[in-house]
Amino acid sequence: MSTRQAELFEAPPQEAAPAPRHRLFCEVAVPLPLRMRLTYAVPEALGKQVVPGVRVIVFVGPRRLVGYVIAAEVAPPAGIALEKIRPIVEVIDSEPAFPEDLLKFLREAAEYYMHPVGEVLRTAAPAIERRGKDDPRLSEEKGSLKARWARVREEVYVSLTEAARSAPPKVRGDKQAQLLSILSARGEVSMRELRQQMRDPRGAVEALEKRGAVSLTAREVPDDPFFGEPVPRDVPPPLTDSQRDAVEAIVTSVKNHERATYLLYGVTGSGKTEVYLRAMAAAQAAGRGAILMLPEIALTPQLVSRYRARFGDNLAVIHSGLKDNDRHAMWRKLHRGDCKVAIGARSAVFAPVRDLGLILVDEEHDPSFKQDDHFRYHGRDLALLRAHRAGVPCVLGSATPSVESYQGAMEGRYRLLHLPDRATRASMPSIEIVDLKRVGPRGPTGHELLSLPLVRAIADRLSRKEQVILFLNRRGFAPSVRCIRCDKAIECPSCSVALVMHRREGALRCHYCDFHVAFQNVCITCGCTELALVGVGTEKLENALVSSFPGARVGRLDRDVASGMGTEEVLDKLRKHEIDILVGTQMVTKGHDVPRVTLVGVIAADAALTFPDFRAAERTYQLLSQVAGRAGRRELPGHVIIQTWQPEHPVLGFARNHDYEGFFHNEIVARKELGYPPFGRMITIRMDGESEEALRAMAQRMDTFLRALPDVLLGMVKILGPAPAPIERIRGRFRMHTLLRGPERPPLRRVISRLIETLEDYTRDDLRVSIDIDPVNML
């Protein structure tokens, strides 16, 4: 044991050394980047309260922290006298904050991603759960009902009693009969929903309560925009044959509590959501819980409304816009078992759902499921792990599955469920490739990247009172501002990227650190006042469309004009046909179903193909297919125009023909030849520091150490780098990375384990090192 470890374990000299009358010890994880195991003595008075998953207050050095017991009744650490081991100060919880199965899963996640378990638990728990009893913020929440209920409301839920289930009571009047019918079918319904389904249900509820037929329960409901307006109940639509086959397969696994992984591969508009709804209903009917994960960008009130229409308001929605109090209310609601359905982005994989029976991951290919800092986990992969450990089915859904997932289906590790047609019987949109080298980027309007075929198609749709979506994955007015005289671009002072011109706010802005400065129309290098706005962003495209089509109502959807609920406001206008042309970034590609959108234009299809990333072709195909899927989803036929400088690129050919299988087989050959996933494993070592010289020196020392390890010398692990990251500097810190590759996982993990043992030798002088297992972002 090192001196540093001993300092953390032992009581400091000024403290009275504990004199335990017993020999009970436990392991505690604290929210610090500590990879060592922290063992504490358990005072006799607290012995029965100290069980895995409870929060406790402990000292780490001089700091008093809230930690989690991860193992009870463990052996004391060797090398330290028992009387010097510090005791637990206090037990916060009467029952574990993390149920046993969830705690085991989180410990396994920490082990797989080689990350300190305390930081993993910190990521999984809501902020309020991470505070101690003496935290003034927690005291305010407990002590001030006024402050608490300013953000949280109560809802009353009505359910049948056990007596009424076994012996249905005699009904007195139509309202009681209607109420009992609803409760028999649903089990439990909120008063809010009952008021939507029957006129003035209060009298019938009170009468049946007096007779012991129903019980009332008041629960906290977060003040959440996803639960704003009431949603009428829906009627499940008839299933297509392929939907029915998929539902039967998944429901059978749910009923049998079978460990199974399904890849639900369905074209855009094929009705994957309805399959999810039926599977979740089967889990609920079996008395089990369900988790639905989807990208944050796709988590909209419109989508959540579909689930509320089927299941009511008794579900938890976990998203980045929740305040600490609301997130805590959702967590407690699930933890108590009051609610058994959780919907959310990647962090929903940690939801404490009781009696878990099913996990679904929509848009499983989306890179946003990977956390890019701190605990670098992949939500989809952890969903697979959690479902496997719980012995329940996991469903991965996508119109464009990741290459790794589809290969898993080809190898038989996943069961492939295919939805080849749209649920509405609508045909897939026709796709036209426009060669900008041949027709030119400027059409009759004279504006950049509005080619003649695209302008004609937009005018045609507008004349028919139809709607258009244009996709350009660059926000702002101009991606860079360049001096005419010295040819230098104006760059961010903290990042090695060009500042983006945002004309509406009159500023240059960095899209990485959010640095911004007023646009002065002068070169900061040579003082020249002749500056060129280079490239096209969504703001500039919006202006071009307004001038080119004066009678059209043009809207924009990107992070500059809409975030959170602002996104829903723009989409609501599109659905109400208050917008004729919608311009946007990736936010326009996700799941929107607008009947009168018949034309989709991809302004610059080549942008993603130039990224220094082996997944560039895959991501381009996925983006093109997803945005194309917004067109012609109902009776009106759809058409897609893809503008490109590389019309011969094979990705565009596969996209034009809606040929995912062709794309996959072409891509998998290249992956296999080069040893990229799924035929190889990768780990990235990411390094950053304020001093470029110190960072390079550290990277070189680390490289020398790694190349001397046996697995590297034997060729089982290949090292690429160290090299500057494609974006060398962000937020004032220089960045480098080293990529480790190999056909098998164990040698890679052995190499990284040896590196982790020596990290203290490298992380000095404000230098930081992080380990990224199975990296997704190569920038």
Side-chain angles (χ1 to χ4, degrees):
M1 178 174 291
S2 68
T3 304
R4 173 60 181 153
Q5 290 173 319
E7 289 173 354
L8 295 175
F9 277 122
E10 296 181 7
Q14 64 268 27
E15 292 185 18
R21 297 162 58 187
H22 52 86
R23 290 291 184 267
L24 285 180
F25 301 90
C26 68
E27 286 184 18
V28 176
V30 294
L32 294 175
L34 298 174
R35 297 179 184 273
M36 68 189 75
R37 301 166 68 172
L38 297 182
T39 305
Y40 288 85
V42 180
E44 187 173 6
L46 302 178
K48 294 183 179 180
Q49 302 174 47
V50 177
V51 296
V54 298
R55 291 178 300 161
V56 294
I57 295 176
V58 295
F59 277 100
V60 179
R63 300 175 63 182
R64 177 184 171 105
L65 298 175
V66 174
Y68 295 88
V69 175
I70 57 173
E73 300 184 16
V74 301
I80 295 181
L82 296 184
E83 65 273 8
K84 289 190 175 182
I85 297 178
R86 306 173 86 170
I88 286 173
V89 176
E90 186 179 358
V91 178
I92 297 175
D93 302 310
S94 57
E95 62 179 65
F98 288 111
E100 183 179 3
D101 60 334
L102 182 55
L103 182 63
K104 287 182 179 178
F105 159 68
L106 292 170
R107 293 191 69 180
E108 191 169 359
E111 182 180 350
Y112 177 79
Y113 286 103
M114 308 181 86
H115 198 80
V117 66
E119 291 198 328
V120 173
L121 298 179
R122 178 187 180 90
T123 300
I128 291 178
E129 289 289 318
R130 303 196 296 262
R131 300 171 186 168
K133 289 181 179 180
D134 55 349
D135 190 302
R137 296 168 293 181
L138 187 60
S139 300
E140 177 186 350
E141 298 303 330
K142 287 188 172 183
S144 172
L145 286 176
K146 183 177 180 180
R148 183 181 182 188
W149 297 117
R151 290 177 291 270
V152 180
R153 59 183 172 84
E154 267 195 343
E155 182 61 275
V156 175
Y157 288 82
V158 185
S159 59
L160 288 174
T161 62
E162 290 295 333
R165 288 194 188 95
S166 57
K170 292 181 180 181
V171 296
R172 299 171 183 173
D174 292 343
K175 283 191 176 180
Q176 289 189 16
Q178 185 182 3
L179 175 61
L180 288 174
S181 176
I182 293 171
L183 294 178
S184 296
R186 295 280 311 285
E188 183 180 65
V189 184
S190 69
M191 284 295 297
R192 188 179 183 211
E193 285 186 79
L194 285 176
R195 284 190 286 270
Q196 297 172 36
Q197 298 185 49
M198 52 188 297
R199 185 175 179 181
D200 191 17
R202 183 172 178 177
V205 170
E206 290 178 346
L208 287 175
E209 183 190 24
K210 289 178 182 178
R211 294 167 56 193
V214 303
S215 61
L216 307 183
T217 306
R219 298 201 191 105
E220 299 173 11
V221 179
D223 183 14
D224 192 317
F226 285 92
F227 295 88
E229 296 298 321
V231 176
R233 299 309 297 260
D234 72 345
V235 176
L239 298 175
T240 64
D241 291 342
S242 55
Q243 280 179 310
R244 188 177 299 107
D245 292 341
V247 169
E248 288 176 358
I250 298 168
V251 168
T252 298
S253 291
V254 170
K255 289 180 177 178
N256 295 336
H257 206 267
E258 178 188 11
R259 180 184 288 116
T261 301
Y262 293 96
L263 177 61
L264 182 63
Y265 160 44
V267 299
T268 53
S270 59
K272 293 184 289 295
T273 299
E274 184 60 33
V275 174
Y276 302 153
L277 287 163
R278 303 285 181 112
M280 294 166 74
Q284 285 200 312
R288 308 193 69 83
I291 296 174
L292 170 66
M293 299 166 56
L294 63 167
E296 181 86 40
I297 195 173
L299 186 60
T300 64
Q302 181 199 23
L303 182 139
V304 173
S305 292
R306 289 198 62 182
Y307 292 90
R308 291 175 61 201
R310 190 69 56 90
F311 301 120
D313 287 350
N314 195 24
L315 50 82
V317 181
I318 302 168
H319 58 96
S320 61
L322 282 175
K323 298 177 182 176
D324 286 350
N325 300 285
D326 295 336
R327 185 178 294 273
H328 182 249
M330 290 288 189
W331 173 275
R332 299 306 301 173
K333 188 177 177 182
L334 291 165
H335 190 278
R336 291 192 302 262
D338 294 340
C339 168
K340 288 192 173 182
V341 176
I343 300 175
R346 59 176 175 252
S347 62
V349 74
F350 306 126
V353 174
R354 294 289 183 98
D355 302 314
L356 185 62
L358 174 69
I359 301 180
L360 306 114
V361 185
D362 191 25
E363 308 285 6
E364 65 86 22
H365 67 275
D366 198 286
S368 69
F369 279 120
K370 181 67 187 283
Q371 172 78 21
D372 268 337
D373 55 13
H374 303 297
F375 175 34
R376 298 174 182 268
Y377 69 93
H378 199 302
R380 178 200 61 205
D381 295 348
L382 285 188
L384 291 168
L385 175 63
R386 186 171 180 186
H388 184 79
R389 292 293 178 256
V392 303
C394 182
V395 180
L396 309 180
S398 177
T400 54
S402 65
V403 169
E404 292 88 341
S405 293
Y406 200 78
Q407 178 67 12
M410 295 297 97
E411 294 174 352
R413 292 182 288 111
Y414 303 164
R415 303 182 194 179
L416 182 63
L417 304 172
H418 190 199
L419 307 181
D421 303 306
R422 286 183 158 178
T424 59
R425 310 297 182 184
S427 60
M428 296 297 290
S430 58
I431 297 181
E432 175 185 357
I433 305 295
V434 172
D435 182 359
L436 294 178
K437 297 196 300 289
R438 185 175 62 84
V439 304
R442 297 178 187 269
T445 66
H447 290 288
E448 289 181 78
L449 297 184
L450 285 179
S451 66
L452 176 60
L454 182 59
V455 169
R456 284 177 174 172
I458 293 172
D460 177 62
R461 266 49 181 198
L462 293 177
S463 70
R464 290 190 267 165
K465 307 298 181 184
E466 295 171 4
Q467 294 170 282
V468 178
I469 289 178
L470 298 181
F471 169 61
L472 176 62
N473 211 21
R474 296 191 198 117
R475 57 192 174 101
F477 189 87
S480 66
V481 178
R482 188 171 291 274
C483 177
I484 297 295
R485 181 191 295 168
C486 68
D487 199 34
K488 294 288 182 66
I490 300 180
E491 292 193 344
C492 173
S494 300
C495 309
S496 53
V497 295
L499 292 177
V500 178
M501 174 63 180
H502 290 252
R503 174 169 284 183
R504 192 165 294 176
E505 62 179 296
L508 298 173
R509 184 175 292 274
C510 175
H511 288 177
Y512 285 87
C513 71
D514 204 37
F515 168 83
H516 55 279
V517 62
F519 180 52
Q520 302 292 338
N521 201 35
V522 61
C523 176
I524 60 175
T525 301
C526 69
C528 176
T529 57
E530 293 186 65
L531 300 178
L533 303 180
V534 181
V536 177
T538 50
E539 185 183 356
K540 189 174 185 179
L541 181 60
E542 178 190 22
N543 287 358
L545 291 163
V546 169
S547 62
S548 301
F549 303 96
R553 297 164 295 181
V554 181
R556 177 157 57 100
L557 184 60
D558 57 31
R559 296 197 184 279
D560 293 329
V561 299
S563 60
M565 294 306 297
T567 301
E568 184 62 18
E569 292 175 6
V570 175
L571 292 174
D572 193 48
K573 288 183 177 181
L574 183 69
R575 288 190 288 268
K576 293 177 180 178
H577 205 163
E578 296 174 5
I579 291 176
D580 298 311
I581 306 173
L582 179 65
V583 176
T585 56
Q586 288 190 53
M587 300 172 81
V588 303
T589 69
K590 304 295 183 182
H592 313 308
D593 188 350
V594 183
R596 298 199 68 81
V597 170
T598 59
L599 175 66
V600 167
V602 179
I603 301 301
D606 311 297
L609 288 171
T610 60
F611 276 31
D613 187 341
F614 73 92
R615 291 189 177 94
E618 178 183 6
R619 288 182 180 159
T620 299
Y621 179 86
Q622 289 165 344
L623 271 174
L624 295 178
S625 296
Q626 292 286 337
V627 72
R630 302 314 107 210
R633 294 174 69 96
R634 299 298 174 91
E635 295 81 8
L636 298 172
H639 185 64
V640 181
I641 291 180
I642 298 177
Q643 298 186 151
T644 177
W645 297 96
Q646 305 176 65
E648 70 286 348
H649 198 289
V651 167
L652 301 182
F654 293 126
R656 178 180 55 206
N657 297 322
H658 303 287
D659 185 9
Y660 172 80
E661 290 89 348
F663 162 76
F664 168 79
H665 290 299
N666 183 72
E667 181 72 8
I668 206 71
V669 170
R671 298 275 185 100
K672 191 170 186 177
E673 288 179 357
L674 297 172
Y676 282 120
F679 300 104
R681 303 292 178 179
M682 298 169 56
I683 297 177
T684 298
I685 304 168
R686 303 187 185 276
M687 302 158 277
D688 63 83
E690 294 181 357
S691 166
E692 183 178 14
E693 183 180 354
L695 178 63
R696 288 182 177 276
M698 178 195 71
Q700 191 57 54
R701 292 198 314 272
M702 188 181 296
D703 184 62
T704 301
F705 172 80
L706 291 172
R707 292 182 185 277
L709 295 176
D711 287 305
V712 178
L713 293 173
L714 293 172
M716 301 173 72
V717 173
K718 293 183 179 180
I719 298 178
L720 302 179
I727 303 175
E728 292 188 35
R729 191 164 169 254
I730 293 180
R731 296 184 180 91
R733 299 183 69 85
F734 292 92
R735 306 164 67 240
M736 298 187 72
H737 60 204
T738 294
L739 180 65
L740 274 57
R741 293 173 51 193
E744 303 292 338
R745 185 179 288 125
L748 285 167
R749 295 183 69 84
R750 285 195 297 268
V751 169
I752 292 298
S753 295
R754 290 291 308 276
L755 175 64
I756 287 173
E757 292 171 2
T758 65
L759 274 184
E760 288 187 7
D761 298 333
Y762 300 104
T763 51
R764 298 171 181 169
D765 303 323
D766 195 41
L767 298 173
R768 297 187 305 212
V769 177
S770 62
I771 309 299
D772 191 354
I773 308 291
D774 303 330
V776 170
N777 181 6
M778 306 305 291
L779 298 181

